[in-house]
Amino acid sequence: MLPQEVLSLLTLLCVFRASVSVLDEDDDYDLMYVNLDNEIDGPVLGTEETVSCDCQREHTEWDKLFIMLENSQMKENMMLQAMDEMLKVDLQALKAELSQLTTDLAGTFASTVEKVTSHIMSQVEQALVRNSDHAEEARRLHESEQGKVLEHVLLLSHNVSSRLGQLESTWLRRSEVEAQETAFQQDKFSPTRGDNLILNSLWKELQQTRAELKASQKWAAQHLLPAGCETAILFPMRSKKIFGSVHPTAGMTLHSFTACIWIKVTEALDKTIVFSYGTKFNPYEIQLYLSRESVVLVVGGDQHKLAVKNVVVPGKWIHLCGAWSSENGSASLWVKGELAATALDIADAHTVPDGGILQIGQEKNGCCIGGGFDEALAFSGKLTGFNMWDRVLSAKEIAAQSGEDACSIRGNIIGWGVTEVLPYGGAQYIS
């Protein structure tokens, strides 16, 4: 039974091959539609001689089918590989372009930031310079305006004070006259009593206003410099190290002189130096000093001096002038523009020599080791308007020195504001 079944299968295969060869002649690709699900209904009878088919073809239909599948898969792989390479090339090009764009943008941004930063810094520096200039100008204007305002306040206070005096005298005259006016019957006050109440109230207001004006005058007088002077030198305390060095404009070989100065002393001892000129042979050639409430002028030595008593008031400005001539030795002292003392035979025929040292606030007397100063002789307070001439000024000229805007008048040997005056040891210019 088994050989008969094998024979049937071989016969079926031969028939199938013959049918495929016929189909291949029309279209080799129709093989794809061949029904390969044929079932064997039963055994096929035949002999061994019937199994005679040609099974040695060069390429079977299955071979062609597999070759076609392999070719299509190879093409697909080649296409995928080509697309992959193209994508890689495009990605590399895009990456290079992005890198170049980033570099360009970074350079442009850095350059822009640098330019903007430089511009902002320049504007800030210009603004700082302008603000500094404006602040300095405002400070100068403020100082100038403050002086003018103080002067104006002082002048107004004087005017108001005089007006208050007139009002006071008017009130005193009015108080002596009895007023008769119609009174309010409801209040039952007499006319005289109503007037007295009004006048008393007015009197109290006038007294209060006068006190306020005196206080403002005192404040203005303390803060204003005298005679229109713009600067003064402050000596804050008595010290052997505090003084001022004066360098005269002309030579000091003198047969006569006039020296004037404004001072406001804090406290005067037995000898408080205002200014002193001396040489190594004679430290007392010219001196003006204070002795408590007195003023003393020395020429040619301590034995030749002229004094005025009871003229110095601590804390208040005072104008002093001293004049001398070798002819007859005439000397004079002036206080607030008025003659206070005069004398003859004060170092007559004497000549003040050149080559000495002129100082304010101290004297060079060689008292101390190393050529220092004596602290007890030091000046403490303020001074301004120091001027010196090589002649004796007239009474009118000296009076002008103590008047308004006197600081605009300068001496030919020492001119305040022109001649070099150097403060040392803590002395300083103020305005």
Short mmCIF file of all heavy atoms in Angstrom, two decimals, residues 171-208:
data_model
loop_
_atom_site.label_atom_id
_atom_site.label_comp_id
_atom_site.label_asym_id
_atom_site.label_seq_id
_atom_site.Cartn_x
_atom_site.Cartn_y
_atom_site.Cartn_z
N TRP A 171 3.43 155.50 71.07
CA TRP A 171 2.61 154.88 72.10
C TRP A 171 2.69 155.62 73.42
O TRP A 171 1.69 155.79 74.13
CB TRP A 171 3.07 153.44 72.29
CG TRP A 171 2.26 152.72 73.35
CD1 TRP A 171 1.08 152.10 73.21
CD2 TRP A 171 2.61 152.62 74.74
NE1 TRP A 171 0.65 151.59 74.39
CE2 TRP A 171 1.57 151.89 75.36
CE3 TRP A 171 3.68 153.06 75.50
CZ2 TRP A 171 1.58 151.59 76.72
CZ3 TRP A 171 3.70 152.76 76.85
CH2 TRP A 171 2.67 152.04 77.45
N LEU A 172 3.91 156.10 73.79
CA LEU A 172 4.06 156.84 75.04
C LEU A 172 3.26 158.14 75.00
O LEU A 172 2.61 158.53 75.99
CB LEU A 172 5.53 157.13 75.30
CG LEU A 172 6.40 155.91 75.65
CD1 LEU A 172 7.87 156.31 75.75
CD2 LEU A 172 5.95 155.27 76.95
N ARG A 173 3.30 158.80 73.83
CA ARG A 173 2.49 160.03 73.72
C ARG A 173 1.00 159.71 73.77
O ARG A 173 0.21 160.43 74.37
CB ARG A 173 2.83 160.74 72.41
CG ARG A 173 4.22 161.37 72.40
CD ARG A 173 4.37 162.35 71.24
NE ARG A 173 4.12 161.70 69.96
CZ ARG A 173 5.08 161.16 69.23
NH1 ARG A 173 6.36 161.17 69.67
NH2 ARG A 173 4.80 160.60 68.07
N ARG A 174 0.66 158.58 73.14
CA ARG A 174 -0.77 158.21 73.10
C ARG A 174 -1.26 157.82 74.48
O ARG A 174 -2.41 158.05 74.84
CB ARG A 174 -0.96 157.03 72.12
CG ARG A 174 -2.40 156.55 71.99
CD ARG A 174 -3.27 157.60 71.33
NE ARG A 174 -4.65 157.16 71.20
CZ ARG A 174 -5.56 157.24 72.17
NH1 ARG A 174 -5.22 157.76 73.34
NH2 ARG A 174 -6.80 156.84 71.96
N SER A 175 -0.39 157.21 75.29
CA SER A 175 -0.81 156.80 76.63
C SER A 175 -1.08 157.98 77.54
O SER A 175 -1.76 157.84 78.56
CB SER A 175 0.25 155.88 77.24
OG SER A 175 1.46 156.59 77.41
N GLU A 176 -0.47 159.14 77.24
CA GLU A 176 -0.67 160.33 78.06
C GLU A 176 -1.98 161.04 77.76
O GLU A 176 -2.41 161.92 78.50
CB GLU A 176 0.50 161.29 77.87
CG GLU A 176 1.84 160.73 78.35
CD GLU A 176 3.00 161.64 78.03
OE1 GLU A 176 2.75 162.67 77.36
OE2 GLU A 176 4.14 161.32 78.42
N VAL A 177 -2.59 160.71 76.63
CA VAL A 177 -3.83 161.36 76.22
C VAL A 177 -5.00 160.43 76.54
O VAL A 177 -4.96 159.25 76.19
CB VAL A 177 -3.81 161.69 74.71
CG1 VAL A 177 -5.12 162.35 74.30
CG2 VAL A 177 -2.62 162.60 74.42
N GLU A 178 -5.98 160.92 77.23
CA GLU A 178 -7.15 160.12 77.55
C GLU A 178 -8.10 160.12 76.37
O GLU A 178 -8.49 161.18 75.85
CB GLU A 178 -7.87 160.69 78.79
CG GLU A 178 -7.06 160.59 80.06
CD GLU A 178 -7.80 161.13 81.27
OE1 GLU A 178 -8.94 161.61 81.08
OE2 GLU A 178 -7.24 161.05 82.36
N ALA A 179 -8.49 158.92 75.96
CA ALA A 179 -9.39 158.77 74.81
C ALA A 179 -10.82 158.65 75.31
O ALA A 179 -11.09 158.00 76.32
CB ALA A 179 -9.01 157.55 74.00
N GLN A 180 -11.70 159.34 74.64
CA GLN A 180 -13.13 159.31 74.93
C GLN A 180 -13.86 158.78 73.70
O GLN A 180 -13.97 159.47 72.70
CB GLN A 180 -13.63 160.72 75.28
CG GLN A 180 -12.97 161.35 76.49
CD GLN A 180 -13.27 160.59 77.77
OE1 GLN A 180 -14.34 159.96 77.88
NE2 GLN A 180 -12.35 160.63 78.70
N GLU A 181 -14.29 157.58 73.76
CA GLU A 181 -15.01 156.96 72.65
C GLU A 181 -16.25 156.26 73.17
O GLU A 181 -16.39 156.00 74.38
CB GLU A 181 -14.12 155.96 71.92
CG GLU A 181 -12.92 156.59 71.22
CD GLU A 181 -12.06 155.56 70.49
OE1 GLU A 181 -12.38 154.35 70.62
OE2 GLU A 181 -11.11 155.97 69.82
N THR A 182 -17.11 155.93 72.23
CA THR A 182 -18.34 155.22 72.57
C THR A 182 -18.02 153.78 72.94
O THR A 182 -17.31 153.11 72.22
CB THR A 182 -19.31 155.23 71.38
OG1 THR A 182 -19.52 156.58 71.00
CG2 THR A 182 -20.64 154.57 71.72
N ALA A 183 -18.52 153.35 74.12
CA ALA A 183 -18.25 151.99 74.60
C ALA A 183 -19.44 151.09 74.33
O ALA A 183 -20.56 151.57 74.10
CB ALA A 183 -17.93 152.02 76.09
N PHE A 184 -19.20 149.86 74.35
CA PHE A 184 -20.25 148.87 74.20
C PHE A 184 -21.01 148.75 75.54
O PHE A 184 -20.42 148.44 76.56
CB PHE A 184 -19.68 147.50 73.83
CG PHE A 184 -19.01 147.49 72.49
CD1 PHE A 184 -17.64 147.58 72.40
CD2 PHE A 184 -19.76 147.42 71.34
CE1 PHE A 184 -17.03 147.57 71.19
CE2 PHE A 184 -19.16 147.43 70.12
CZ PHE A 184 -17.78 147.50 70.02
N GLN A 185 -22.30 149.07 75.49
CA GLN A 185 -23.10 149.05 76.71
C GLN A 185 -23.25 147.64 77.27
O GLN A 185 -23.41 147.45 78.47
CB GLN A 185 -24.50 149.62 76.42
CG GLN A 185 -24.47 151.09 76.03
CD GLN A 185 -25.86 151.66 75.77
OE1 GLN A 185 -26.84 150.92 75.85
NE2 GLN A 185 -25.92 152.94 75.47
N GLN A 186 -23.20 146.66 76.38
CA GLN A 186 -23.34 145.30 76.87
C GLN A 186 -22.18 144.92 77.78
O GLN A 186 -22.35 144.18 78.75
CB GLN A 186 -23.41 144.30 75.70
CG GLN A 186 -24.65 144.48 74.84
CD GLN A 186 -24.40 145.55 73.78
OE1 GLN A 186 -23.40 146.26 73.83
NE2 GLN A 186 -25.35 145.66 72.85
N ASP A 187 -20.97 145.37 77.45
CA ASP A 187 -19.79 144.99 78.24
C ASP A 187 -19.59 145.88 79.46
O ASP A 187 -18.88 145.52 80.39
CB ASP A 187 -18.53 145.05 77.37
CG ASP A 187 -18.62 144.03 76.26
OD1 ASP A 187 -19.32 143.01 76.43
OD2 ASP A 187 -17.97 144.25 75.21
N LYS A 188 -20.18 147.11 79.43
CA LYS A 188 -20.08 148.05 80.54
C LYS A 188 -18.63 148.42 80.84
O LYS A 188 -18.21 148.47 81.99
CB LYS A 188 -20.74 147.50 81.79
CG LYS A 188 -22.25 147.29 81.63
CD LYS A 188 -22.86 146.76 82.90
CE LYS A 188 -24.37 146.56 82.74
NZ LYS A 188 -24.99 146.06 83.99
N PHE A 189 -17.86 148.61 79.79
CA PHE A 189 -16.47 149.07 79.95
C PHE A 189 -16.40 150.53 79.53
O PHE A 189 -17.02 150.93 78.53
CB PHE A 189 -15.51 148.25 79.09
CG PHE A 189 -15.28 146.87 79.63
CD1 PHE A 189 -15.47 145.75 78.83
CD2 PHE A 189 -14.89 146.70 80.95
CE1 PHE A 189 -15.26 144.49 79.33
CE2 PHE A 189 -14.67 145.42 81.44
CZ PHE A 189 -14.85 144.33 80.63
N SER A 190 -15.57 151.27 80.21
CA SER A 190 -15.37 152.67 79.85
C SER A 190 -14.45 152.77 78.66
O SER A 190 -13.64 151.87 78.42
CB SER A 190 -14.76 153.44 81.03
OG SER A 190 -13.49 152.93 81.34
N PRO A 191 -14.49 153.86 77.87
CA PRO A 191 -13.59 154.02 76.71
C PRO A 191 -12.13 154.02 77.11
O PRO A 191 -11.30 153.47 76.42
CB PRO A 191 -14.03 155.36 76.12
CG PRO A 191 -15.43 155.57 76.61
CD PRO A 191 -15.48 154.95 77.96
N THR A 192 -11.83 154.64 78.24
CA THR A 192 -10.43 154.73 78.63
C THR A 192 -9.86 153.34 78.92
O THR A 192 -8.75 153.01 78.53
CB THR A 192 -10.29 155.64 79.86
OG1 THR A 192 -10.85 156.90 79.55
CG2 THR A 192 -8.83 155.80 80.27
N ARG A 193 -10.61 152.50 79.58
CA ARG A 193 -10.13 151.17 79.92
C ARG A 193 -9.93 150.32 78.67
O ARG A 193 -8.97 149.57 78.55
CB ARG A 193 -11.14 150.49 80.86
CG ARG A 193 -10.65 149.13 81.35
CD ARG A 193 -11.61 148.54 82.33
NE ARG A 193 -11.14 147.24 82.77
CZ ARG A 193 -11.82 146.44 83.60
NH1 ARG A 193 -13.01 146.83 84.05
NH2 ARG A 193 -11.32 145.26 83.94
N GLY A 194 -10.83 150.43 77.68
CA GLY A 194 -10.67 149.67 76.43
C GLY A 194 -9.42 150.09 75.68
O GLY A 194 -8.67 149.25 75.16
N ASP A 195 -9.16 151.39 75.63
CA ASP A 195 -7.94 151.87 74.95
C ASP A 195 -6.69 151.38 75.67
O ASP A 195 -5.69 151.00 75.04
CB ASP A 195 -7.94 153.39 74.89
CG ASP A 195 -9.00 153.91 73.92
OD1 ASP A 195 -9.46 153.09 73.10
OD2 ASP A 195 -9.36 155.09 74.01
N ASN A 196 -6.73 151.39 77.00
CA ASN A 196 -5.55 150.95 77.75
C ASN A 196 -5.24 149.48 77.50
O ASN A 196 -4.09 149.07 77.39
CB ASN A 196 -5.77 151.19 79.24
CG ASN A 196 -5.70 152.67 79.60
OD1 ASN A 196 -5.08 153.46 78.86
ND2 ASN A 196 -6.35 153.06 80.70
N LEU A 197 -6.28 148.65 77.39
CA LEU A 197 -6.05 147.24 77.10
C LEU A 197 -5.40 147.05 75.74
O LEU A 197 -4.46 146.26 75.58
CB LEU A 197 -7.39 146.48 77.17
CG LEU A 197 -8.01 146.31 78.55
CD1 LEU A 197 -9.39 145.67 78.44
CD2 LEU A 197 -7.11 145.47 79.45
N ILE A 198 -5.88 147.79 74.75
CA ILE A 198 -5.30 147.69 73.40
C ILE A 198 -3.86 148.16 73.39
O ILE A 198 -2.96 147.53 72.82
CB ILE A 198 -6.14 148.48 72.41
CG1 ILE A 198 -7.54 147.85 72.29
CG2 ILE A 198 -5.47 148.52 71.04
CD1 ILE A 198 -8.51 148.65 71.45
N LEU A 199 -3.61 149.29 74.08
CA LEU A 199 -2.26 149.83 74.10
C LEU A 199 -1.29 148.92 74.85
O LEU A 199 -0.13 148.76 74.46
CB LEU A 199 -2.28 151.23 74.74
CG LEU A 199 -2.95 152.32 73.90
CD1 LEU A 199 -3.06 153.61 74.69
CD2 LEU A 199 -2.17 152.55 72.61
N ASN A 200 -1.76 148.31 75.95
CA ASN A 200 -0.89 147.37 76.68
C ASN A 200 -0.53 146.16 75.83
O ASN A 200 0.61 145.68 75.83
CB ASN A 200 -1.60 146.92 77.96
CG ASN A 200 -1.62 148.02 79.01
OD1 ASN A 200 -0.74 148.89 79.04
ND2 ASN A 200 -2.64 147.99 79.88
N SER A 201 -1.51 145.65 75.09
CA SER A 201 -1.23 144.53 74.20
C SER A 201 -0.23 144.91 73.13
O SER A 201 0.71 144.17 72.82
CB SER A 201 -2.54 144.04 73.57
OG SER A 201 -2.28 143.01 72.65
N LEU A 202 -0.42 146.13 72.56
CA LEU A 202 0.52 146.61 71.54
C LEU A 202 1.91 146.79 72.11
O LEU A 202 2.91 146.47 71.47
CB LEU A 202 0.00 147.91 70.94
CG LEU A 202 0.87 148.57 69.87
CD1 LEU A 202 1.04 147.64 68.67
CD2 LEU A 202 0.29 149.90 69.42
N TRP A 203 2.00 147.28 73.35
CA TRP A 203 3.29 147.49 74.00
C TRP A 203 4.03 146.17 74.19
O TRP A 203 5.24 146.06 73.94
CB TRP A 203 3.08 148.20 75.34
CG TRP A 203 4.31 148.27 76.20
CD1 TRP A 203 4.58 147.55 77.30
CD2 TRP A 203 5.42 149.12 75.99
NE1 TRP A 203 5.80 147.87 77.82
CE2 TRP A 203 6.35 148.85 77.03
CE3 TRP A 203 5.76 150.08 75.06
CZ2 TRP A 203 7.56 149.51 77.15
CZ3 TRP A 203 6.97 150.73 75.18
CH2 TRP A 203 7.86 150.45 76.20
N LYS A 204 3.33 145.14 74.62
CA LYS A 204 3.95 143.83 74.81
C LYS A 204 4.47 143.27 73.49
O LYS A 204 5.57 142.70 73.41
CB LYS A 204 2.96 142.86 75.43
CG LYS A 204 2.61 143.20 76.88
CD LYS A 204 1.61 142.20 77.44
CE LYS A 204 1.25 142.54 78.88
NZ LYS A 204 0.26 141.57 79.45
N GLU A 205 3.69 143.42 72.43
CA GLU A 205 4.13 142.93 71.12
C GLU A 205 5.37 143.68 70.64
O GLU A 205 6.30 143.08 70.07
CB GLU A 205 3.00 143.07 70.11
CG GLU A 205 1.84 142.12 70.36
CD GLU A 205 0.76 142.25 69.32
OE1 GLU A 205 0.94 143.09 68.40
OE2 GLU A 205 -0.25 141.55 69.42
N LEU A 206 5.40 145.00 70.88
CA LEU A 206 6.57 145.79 70.47
C LEU A 206 7.81 145.37 71.24
O LEU A 206 8.91 145.26 70.67
CB LEU A 206 6.29 147.28 70.68
CG LEU A 206 5.29 147.93 69.72
CD1 LEU A 206 5.00 149.36 70.14
CD2 LEU A 206 5.82 147.91 68.30
N GLN A 207 7.67 145.13 72.56
CA GLN A 207 8.80 144.69 73.35
C GLN A 207 9.33 143.33 72.89
O GLN A 207 10.54 143.12 72.80
CB GLN A 207 8.40 144.64 74.84
CG GLN A 207 8.14 145.99 75.46
CD GLN A 207 9.38 146.87 75.49
OE1 GLN A 207 10.49 146.39 75.60
NE2 GLN A 207 9.18 148.18 75.37
N GLN A 208 8.43 142.43 72.57
CA GLN A 208 8.84 141.10 72.09
C GLN A 208 9.55 141.20 70.75
O GLN A 208 10.58 140.54 70.52
CB GLN A 208 7.62 140.19 71.99
CG GLN A 208 7.96 138.76 71.58
CD GLN A 208 6.73 137.88 71.51
OE1 GLN A 208 5.62 138.34 71.79
NE2 GLN A 208 6.93 136.62 71.16
#
